[in-house]
């Protein structure tokens, strides 16, 4: 960490502190999940007001570089997974794009009966057997999402496959390529089981994505529901601002 800030440099002091903290994290002075000095300690170290320190920390929290933990302090955040909604990208590819290692624990694989929404999208009758895959997905060993995928019964070959990696790479073996998707995005609250799997507190707000995916021939491929830790996963979309 640089020893002093420069009040007369023309750069606001809070911005200088942001740069100093960011450089310290990049240099490894503070590692992931490590607590940084308190506002009072930073204020004393740099000879600036606590209001200025708080402004800098607020900016780094918003940026995702730091995270506040209630009653404990401020810590260096784990890198989150960023996903551009305009691109079709699975979890494994999203992790790789962010320099993280994807992992998977298969929770259950087998048949279940189709609900009305699943049946409507897949073009089958409600109550018909469907292939259901439920998996826990990790990034750098941290649980990120619980994912359930529903396929029509003629995808039963998936039950014989190793599903501990990318599902879409398995499908590529059979020359099946996902193409288009419709997403419904909302919020759910962690059940006790979900909280235990994702290592969060029960009733924690989670990101919930319902996904309806078609293949390259525009045939229904699968339905998916992803229950995601919002502190580790960010959605964004690039576009043109047209004004209102």
């Amino acid at each position: 960490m640089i020893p002093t800030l420069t009040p007369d440099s023309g750069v606001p002091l809070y911005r200088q502190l942001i740069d100093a903290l960011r450089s310290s994290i990049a240099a490894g002075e503070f590692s992931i999940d490590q607590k940084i000095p308190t506002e009072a300690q930073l204020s004393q170290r740099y000879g600036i007001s606590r209001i200025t320190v708080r402004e800098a920390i607020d900016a780094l929290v918003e940026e995702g570089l730091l995270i506040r933990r209630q009653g404990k302090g401020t810590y260096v955040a784990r890198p989150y997974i960023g996903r551009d909604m305009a691109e079709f990208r699975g979890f494994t590819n999203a992790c790789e794009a962010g320099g993280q290692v994807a992992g998977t624990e298969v929770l259950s694989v087998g048949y279940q009966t189709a609900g009305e929404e699943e049946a409507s999208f897949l073009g089958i009758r409600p109550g018909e057997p469907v292939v259901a895959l439920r998996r826990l997905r990790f990034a750098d060993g941290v649980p990120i999402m619980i994912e359930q995928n529903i396929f029509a019964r003629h995808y039963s070959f998936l039950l014989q496959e190793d599903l501990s990696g990318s599902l879409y790479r398995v499908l590529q073996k059979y020359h099946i390529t996902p193409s288009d998707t419709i997403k419904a995005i909302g919020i759910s609250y962690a059940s006790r089981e979900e909280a235990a799997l994702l290592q969060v507190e029960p009733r924690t707000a989670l990101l919930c994505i319902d996904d309806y995916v078609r293949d390259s021939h525009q045939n229904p491929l699968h339905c998916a529901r992803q229950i995601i830790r919002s502190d580790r996963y960010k959605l964004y979309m690039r576009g043109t601002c047209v004004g209102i």
Side-chain angles (χ1 to χ4, degrees):
M1 204 180 281
I2 59 177
T4 58
L5 304 183
T6 309
D8 300 326
S9 71
V11 178
L13 288 171
Y14 87 94
R15 175 56 60 186
Q16 293 183 52
L17 182 56
I18 288 172
D19 292 341
L21 291 171
R22 189 184 287 120
S23 296
S24 295
I25 292 168
E29 181 176 340
F30 300 117
S31 57
I32 291 173
D33 285 334
Q34 182 177 349
K35 184 178 179 180
I36 69 167
T38 65
E39 290 181 4
Q41 289 169 332
L42 289 170
S43 174
Q44 183 176 12
R45 179 180 297 187
Y46 288 102
I48 56 178
S49 71
R50 291 185 63 171
I51 293 175
T52 300
V53 172
R54 188 173 300 119
E55 190 175 5
I57 290 176
D58 285 345
L60 290 173
V61 168
E62 185 174 350
E63 183 181 316
L65 196 61
L66 298 177
I67 184 170
R68 286 192 175 95
R69 295 177 181 168
Q70 188 67 33
K72 296 182 178 180
T74 305
Y75 293 75
V76 179
R78 286 183 173 271
Y80 62 78
I81 299 170
R83 182 173 173 185
D84 187 344
M85 297 293 289
E87 297 179 357
F88 198 101
R89 175 179 287 175
F91 180 81
T92 301
N93 283 340
C95 284
E96 291 172 349
Q100 299 182 65
V101 177
T104 302
E105 177 185 342
V106 179
L107 300 174
S108 63
V109 178
Y111 293 105
Q112 67 181 43
T113 56
E116 289 190 8
E117 286 190 16
E118 299 158 354
S120 176
F121 177 74
L122 296 174
I124 59 177
R125 292 189 300 273
E128 282 192 32
V130 289
V131 176
L133 318 174
R134 190 166 183 255
R135 305 185 300 165
L136 181 61
R137 313 303 301 276
F138 298 82
D140 287 344
V142 177
I144 302 295
M145 73 167 65
I146 302 165
E147 177 185 76
Q148 176 161 299
N149 293 285
I150 303 295
F151 291 82
R153 192 174 184 178
H154 58 268
Y155 286 93
S156 59
F157 58 83
L158 290 172
L159 301 179
Q160 311 304 319
E161 292 286 344
D162 178 4
L163 301 175
S164 61
S166 168
L167 179 59
Y168 288 159
R169 289 176 186 171
V170 172
L171 290 170
Q172 285 175 3
K173 291 171 49 179
Y174 298 88
H175 308 290
I176 299 168
T177 304
S179 177
D180 298 331
T181 179
I182 296 176
K183 297 181 185 296
I185 302 172
I187 295 174
S188 65
Y189 296 91
S191 66
R192 289 191 176 277
E193 183 209 17
E194 290 167 346
L197 289 171
L198 293 174
Q199 298 177 12
V200 298
E201 293 295 322
R203 301 293 299 165
T204 295
L206 302 170
L207 187 64
C208 178
I209 302 178
D210 289 317
D211 222 348
Y212 302 88
V213 182
R214 293 183 179 273
D215 65 18
S216 56
H217 302 289
Q218 293 303 299
N219 296 317
L221 180 54
H222 72 97
C223 310
R225 168 162 286 191
Q226 299 169 334
I227 305 296
I228 308 170
R229 286 180 56 167
S230 57
D231 63 332
R232 294 287 184 263
Y233 198 91
K234 306 295 180 184
L235 299 173
Y236 61 91
M237 179 175 284
R238 297 185 179 92
T240 302
C241 181
V242 296
I244 55 174

mmCIF file of all heavy atoms in Angstrom, residues 119-137:
data_model
loop_
_atom_site.group_PDB
_atom_site.id
_atom_site.type_symbol
_atom_site.label_atom_id
_atom_site.label_comp_id
_atom_site.label_asym_id
_atom_site.label_seq_id
_atom_site.Cartn_x
_atom_site.Cartn_y
_atom_site.Cartn_z
ATOM 1 N N ALA A 119 -44.131 -29.645 -19.992
ATOM 2 C CA ALA A 119 -44.766 -30.413 -21.066
ATOM 3 C C ALA A 119 -45.130 -29.508 -22.241
ATOM 4 O O ALA A 119 -44.933 -29.868 -23.408
ATOM 5 C CB ALA A 119 -46.007 -31.124 -20.535
ATOM 6 N N SER A 120 -45.647 -28.319 -21.927
ATOM 7 C CA SER A 120 -46.038 -27.394 -22.985
ATOM 8 C C SER A 120 -44.850 -27.007 -23.843
ATOM 9 O O SER A 120 -44.937 -26.993 -25.078
ATOM 10 C CB SER A 120 -46.676 -26.147 -22.364
ATOM 11 O OG SER A 120 -46.973 -25.188 -23.364
ATOM 12 N N PHE A 121 -43.710 -26.708 -23.214
ATOM 13 C CA PHE A 121 -42.528 -26.311 -23.988
ATOM 14 C C PHE A 121 -41.946 -27.489 -24.757
ATOM 15 O O PHE A 121 -41.564 -27.346 -25.927
ATOM 16 C CB PHE A 121 -41.461 -25.723 -23.066
ATOM 17 C CG PHE A 121 -40.195 -25.370 -23.795
ATOM 18 C CD1 PHE A 121 -40.140 -24.260 -24.627
ATOM 19 C CD2 PHE A 121 -39.062 -26.157 -23.668
ATOM 20 C CE1 PHE A 121 -38.976 -23.953 -25.328
ATOM 21 C CE2 PHE A 121 -37.896 -25.855 -24.352
ATOM 22 C CZ PHE A 121 -37.855 -24.744 -25.186
ATOM 23 N N LEU A 122 -41.870 -28.659 -24.124
ATOM 24 C CA LEU A 122 -41.239 -29.823 -24.761
ATOM 25 C C LEU A 122 -42.137 -30.507 -25.782
ATOM 26 O O LEU A 122 -41.691 -31.377 -26.524
ATOM 27 C CB LEU A 122 -40.802 -30.828 -23.691
ATOM 28 C CG LEU A 122 -39.716 -30.341 -22.721
ATOM 29 C CD1 LEU A 122 -39.480 -31.372 -21.624
ATOM 30 C CD2 LEU A 122 -38.405 -30.041 -23.460
ATOM 31 N N GLY A 123 -43.417 -30.121 -25.829
ATOM 32 C CA GLY A 123 -44.340 -30.704 -26.797
ATOM 33 C C GLY A 123 -44.798 -32.096 -26.424
ATOM 34 O O GLY A 123 -45.003 -32.945 -27.310
ATOM 35 N N ILE A 124 -44.958 -32.364 -25.134
ATOM 36 C CA ILE A 124 -45.429 -33.657 -24.659
ATOM 37 C C ILE A 124 -46.634 -33.438 -23.745
ATOM 38 O O ILE A 124 -47.023 -32.298 -23.467
ATOM 39 C CB ILE A 124 -44.325 -34.425 -23.896
ATOM 40 C CG1 ILE A 124 -43.848 -33.597 -22.684
ATOM 41 C CG2 ILE A 124 -43.141 -34.707 -24.830
ATOM 42 C CD1 ILE A 124 -42.817 -34.299 -21.846
ATOM 43 N N ARG A 125 -47.231 -34.532 -23.272
ATOM 44 C CA ARG A 125 -48.388 -34.420 -22.382
ATOM 45 C C ARG A 125 -47.937 -34.300 -20.928
ATOM 46 O O ARG A 125 -46.968 -34.957 -20.535
ATOM 47 C CB ARG A 125 -49.305 -35.640 -22.535
ATOM 48 C CG ARG A 125 -50.002 -35.728 -23.888
ATOM 49 C CD ARG A 125 -51.063 -36.825 -23.877
ATOM 50 N NE ARG A 125 -50.463 -38.128 -23.591
ATOM 51 C CZ ARG A 125 -49.955 -38.928 -24.521
ATOM 52 N NH1 ARG A 125 -49.957 -38.561 -25.786
ATOM 53 N NH2 ARG A 125 -49.442 -40.100 -24.180
ATOM 54 N N PRO A 126 -48.629 -33.503 -20.131
ATOM 55 C CA PRO A 126 -48.320 -33.450 -18.700
ATOM 56 C C PRO A 126 -48.404 -34.848 -18.083
ATOM 57 O O PRO A 126 -49.285 -35.638 -18.424
ATOM 58 C CB PRO A 126 -49.409 -32.536 -18.129
ATOM 59 C CG PRO A 126 -49.835 -31.690 -19.286
ATOM 60 C CD PRO A 126 -49.719 -32.577 -20.496
ATOM 61 N N GLY A 127 -47.467 -35.153 -17.219
ATOM 62 C CA GLY A 127 -47.439 -36.463 -16.575
ATOM 63 C C GLY A 127 -46.583 -37.484 -17.283
ATOM 64 O O GLY A 127 -46.286 -38.542 -16.723
ATOM 65 N N GLU A 128 -46.148 -37.167 -18.520
ATOM 66 C CA GLU A 128 -45.252 -38.089 -19.220
ATOM 67 C C GLU A 128 -43.876 -38.090 -18.538
ATOM 68 O O GLU A 128 -43.458 -37.082 -17.957
ATOM 69 C CB GLU A 128 -45.083 -37.678 -20.687
ATOM 70 C CG GLU A 128 -46.241 -38.056 -21.584
ATOM 71 C CD GLU A 128 -45.888 -37.883 -23.053
ATOM 72 O OE1 GLU A 128 -44.695 -38.080 -23.399
ATOM 73 O OE2 GLU A 128 -46.789 -37.561 -23.839
ATOM 74 N N PRO A 129 -43.145 -39.221 -18.632
ATOM 75 C CA PRO A 129 -41.793 -39.251 -18.042
ATOM 76 C C PRO A 129 -40.851 -38.308 -18.787
ATOM 77 O O PRO A 129 -40.907 -38.189 -20.020
ATOM 78 C CB PRO A 129 -41.361 -40.714 -18.234
ATOM 79 C CG PRO A 129 -42.618 -41.472 -18.485
ATOM 80 C CD PRO A 129 -43.544 -40.525 -19.177
ATOM 81 N N VAL A 130 -40.015 -37.619 -18.037
ATOM 82 C CA VAL A 130 -38.966 -36.776 -18.602
ATOM 83 C C VAL A 130 -37.659 -37.102 -17.883
ATOM 84 O O VAL A 130 -37.656 -37.654 -16.785
ATOM 85 C CB VAL A 130 -39.286 -35.275 -18.444
ATOM 86 C CG1 VAL A 130 -40.421 -34.863 -19.364
ATOM 87 C CG2 VAL A 130 -39.604 -34.934 -16.991
ATOM 88 N N VAL A 131 -36.556 -36.765 -18.528
ATOM 89 C CA VAL A 131 -35.237 -36.949 -17.937
ATOM 90 C C VAL A 131 -34.913 -35.715 -17.094
ATOM 91 O O VAL A 131 -34.960 -34.581 -17.594
ATOM 92 C CB VAL A 131 -34.159 -37.143 -19.032
ATOM 93 C CG1 VAL A 131 -32.771 -37.224 -18.415
ATOM 94 C CG2 VAL A 131 -34.461 -38.397 -19.848
ATOM 95 N N ALA A 132 -34.607 -35.918 -15.823
ATOM 96 C CA ALA A 132 -34.339 -34.808 -14.904
ATOM 97 C C ALA A 132 -32.924 -34.932 -14.348
ATOM 98 O O ALA A 132 -32.548 -35.969 -13.797
ATOM 99 C CB ALA A 132 -35.357 -34.797 -13.763
ATOM 100 N N LEU A 133 -32.150 -33.865 -14.498
ATOM 101 C CA LEU A 133 -30.772 -33.820 -14.002
ATOM 102 C C LEU A 133 -30.679 -32.682 -12.997
ATOM 103 O O LEU A 133 -31.023 -31.538 -13.320
ATOM 104 C CB LEU A 133 -29.789 -33.557 -15.148
ATOM 105 C CG LEU A 133 -30.020 -34.301 -16.472
ATOM 106 C CD1 LEU A 133 -29.039 -33.792 -17.524
ATOM 107 C CD2 LEU A 133 -29.869 -35.793 -16.276
ATOM 108 N N ARG A 134 -30.213 -32.963 -11.802
ATOM 109 C CA ARG A 134 -30.044 -31.917 -10.780
ATOM 110 C C ARG A 134 -28.592 -31.923 -10.336
ATOM 111 O O ARG A 134 -28.067 -32.966 -9.911
ATOM 112 C CB ARG A 134 -30.980 -32.168 -9.599
ATOM 113 C CG ARG A 134 -31.056 -31.007 -8.608
ATOM 114 C CD ARG A 134 -32.254 -31.194 -7.680
ATOM 115 N NE ARG A 134 -32.410 -30.080 -6.775
ATOM 116 C CZ ARG A 134 -32.100 -30.105 -5.482
ATOM 117 N NH1 ARG A 134 -31.602 -31.228 -4.944
ATOM 118 N NH2 ARG A 134 -32.267 -29.051 -4.711
ATOM 119 N N ARG A 135 -27.953 -30.757 -10.453
ATOM 120 C CA ARG A 135 -26.509 -30.689 -10.194
ATOM 121 C C ARG A 135 -26.187 -29.432 -9.390
ATOM 122 O O ARG A 135 -26.860 -28.400 -9.504
ATOM 123 C CB ARG A 135 -25.736 -30.681 -11.510
ATOM 124 C CG ARG A 135 -26.065 -31.860 -12.415
ATOM 125 C CD ARG A 135 -25.192 -31.906 -13.660
ATOM 126 N NE ARG A 135 -25.324 -30.709 -14.476
ATOM 127 C CZ ARG A 135 -24.483 -30.370 -15.453
ATOM 128 N NH1 ARG A 135 -23.443 -31.149 -15.722
ATOM 129 N NH2 ARG A 135 -24.679 -29.284 -16.163
ATOM 130 N N LEU A 136 -25.115 -29.521 -8.608
ATOM 131 C CA LEU A 136 -24.578 -28.385 -7.878
ATOM 132 C C LEU A 136 -23.325 -27.936 -8.607
ATOM 133 O O LEU A 136 -22.403 -28.729 -8.827
ATOM 134 C CB LEU A 136 -24.252 -28.789 -6.437
ATOM 135 C CG LEU A 136 -23.687 -27.713 -5.505
ATOM 136 C CD1 LEU A 136 -24.668 -26.564 -5.340
ATOM 137 C CD2 LEU A 136 -23.340 -28.323 -4.141
ATOM 138 N N ARG A 137 -23.260 -26.653 -8.977
ATOM 139 C CA ARG A 137 -22.153 -26.146 -9.775
ATOM 140 C C ARG A 137 -21.238 -25.281 -8.912
ATOM 141 O O ARG A 137 -21.695 -24.488 -8.080
ATOM 142 C CB ARG A 137 -22.664 -25.317 -10.966
ATOM 143 C CG ARG A 137 -23.784 -25.954 -11.771
ATOM 144 C CD ARG A 137 -23.441 -27.332 -12.353
ATOM 145 N NE ARG A 137 -22.298 -27.312 -13.227
ATOM 146 C CZ ARG A 137 -22.336 -26.999 -14.528
ATOM 147 N NH1 ARG A 137 -23.490 -26.647 -15.089
ATOM 148 N NH2 ARG A 137 -21.237 -27.037 -15.270
#
